[in-house]
Amino acid sequence: NSLFKIEKLSKVFEDGTKALDDVSLTINQHEVTIIIGPSGSGKSTLLRTLNLMEYPTEGTIEFEGKNILNPNYDVYEHRKHVGMVFQNFNLFPHLTILENLTLAQVDVLKRDKSEAISKAMTLLEKVGLAEKINNYPNQLSGGQQQRVAILRALLMDPTAILFDEPTSALDPEMIKEVLLLMKDLIQTGITMIIVTHEMGFARHFADKIVVMDKGGKIIEEGHPSVIFNE
Ligand code: ADP
Ligand code: ADP
């Protein structure tokens, strides 16, 4: 069952840089799709088009059968269903960990504050960060901040989460704890689309690997056993 249907996507930036070139890709529900490729091959741009942080110059993107590039499409609503985790965590620096995890639940999803807090606490306890609720992001390690950022995305009950190099800013020990949490998320059946250089993770956990190359083209696509020729 396809969640995203991407057809003939191209993106040329104003300075003439071609970031995507005729990209077609189907992303299935409940699958882990991992996008790999050298720096500058358009991985991040492709990911960003999926939550409309970037608009393609040509092509179509359907989400749950709807054309998300239609000018009348509700971007705000879309982002409730498609969460994003960034390389640099992007927590609100002036809010505590608990506030970071409850703000959007209350403001966007209109949850009661007590319900929002209880959902946040449940997840924080699972990842062992419950004692950090009153700390500010800069008082946590990078790995802890990224795990909070992942929980923040998860608390919106999204259909899919996009990960843009979620471990690239982290030291090796912290990479492990973030990948461990991402493995746990896979078990929940949430659709995950991940740009990463973690080849071990990709080999073991991807349902589909998409290989991009210079000029923003997909050069190969398939199950890890095919991509890694095993
Ligand atoms: P990757 O994620 O694979 O490293 P990106 O999608 O970030 O690649 O970038 C693809 C190409 O588009 C690169 O050449 C990059 O320099 C260029 N690019 C990205 N964002 C912009 C922008 N806002 N304006 C101009 N060029 C950009
Ligand atoms: P890049 O050079 O693009 O950063 P690497 O090939 O160095 O990517 O892999 C990134 C991470 O994945 C490293 O932590 C590395 O130890 C791990 N890794 C790479 N290849 C494998 C593999 N075949 N099995 C398990 N882990 C791997």
Side-chain angles (χ1 to χ4, degrees):
N1 215 336
S2 81
L3 187 64
F4 281 102
K5 205 157 191 275
I6 300 156
E7 281 182 356
K8 303 186 178 218
L9 221 56
S10 292
K11 170 75 181 180
V12 181
F13 283 104
E14 278 163 26
D15 65 359
T17 305
K18 190 161 219 178
L20 295 175
D21 185 4
D22 199 26
V23 165
S24 295
L25 177 65
T26 296
I27 289 163
N28 293 322
Q29 219 155 359
H30 309 302
E31 285 193 357
V32 177
T33 302
I34 298 192
I35 305 170
I36 64 174
S39 177
S41 59
K43 305 181 298 295
S44 177
T45 302
L46 174 59
L47 201 69
R48 288 158 61 89
T49 62
L50 300 180
N51 75 343
L52 299 169
M53 289 175 74
E54 216 66 85
Y55 277 83
T57 332
E58 280 179 72
T60 60
I61 306 176
E62 284 184 3
F63 174 73
E64 295 179 329
K66 289 181 295 262
N67 169 15
I68 72 170
L69 303 177
N70 184 320
N72 298 321
Y73 187 78
D74 190 339
V75 176
Y76 183 78
E77 186 66 27
H78 182 72
R79 292 192 185 144
K80 289 188 202 170
H81 302 293
V82 181
M84 181 118 177
V85 173
F86 300 89
Q87 182 173 345
N88 291 308
F89 331 131
N90 285 28
L91 296 173
F92 300 112
H94 57 291
L95 298 182
T96 66
I97 296 309
L98 189 60
E99 288 165 349
N100 264 281
L101 291 178
T102 53
L103 182 72
Q105 290 193 71
V106 172
D107 285 1
V108 178
L109 297 185
K110 311 294 178 200
R111 278 186 187 144
D112 288 339
K113 190 150 190 199
S114 60
E115 189 193 358
I117 290 173
S118 129
K119 282 180 183 286
M121 290 306 300
T122 302
L123 291 187
L124 281 168
E125 275 157 19
K126 271 194 195 154
V127 300
L129 291 175
E131 79 273 21
K132 301 290 187 188
I133 52 173
N134 294 318
N135 287 105
Y136 288 87
N138 67 7
Q139 297 174 310
L140 272 60
S141 73
Q144 291 172 333
Q145 289 185 58
Q146 189 61 300
R147 284 183 291 151
V148 170
I150 292 171
L151 299 187
R152 182 176 62 176
L154 204 58
L155 283 164
M156 303 302 283
D157 293 334
T159 307
I161 303 184
L162 315 176
F163 296 81
D164 194 356
E165 301 206 21
T167 60
S168 293
L170 301 175
D171 297 333
E173 328 83 78
M174 296 178 185
I175 291 178
K176 256 184 231 159
E177 58 191 30
V178 169
L179 292 181
L180 220 57
L181 174 56
M182 291 173 65
K183 285 176 204 172
D184 286 345
L185 290 200
I186 295 173
Q187 311 306 320
T188 71
I190 192 166
T191 305
M192 296 165 73
I193 306 156
I194 306 166
V195 172
T196 186
H197 294 286
E198 293 292 334
M199 293 305 148
F201 184 84
R203 261 175 73 225
H204 287 101
F205 297 104
D207 294 297
K208 183 190 281 178
I209 293 184
V210 176
V211 186
M212 297 190 70
D213 204 355
K214 299 269 183 292
K217 282 182 184 298
I218 292 180
I219 55 167
E220 227 186 330
E221 179 193 335
H223 189 267
S225 59
V226 175
I227 300 294
F228 293 103
N229 198 15
E230 292 170 337

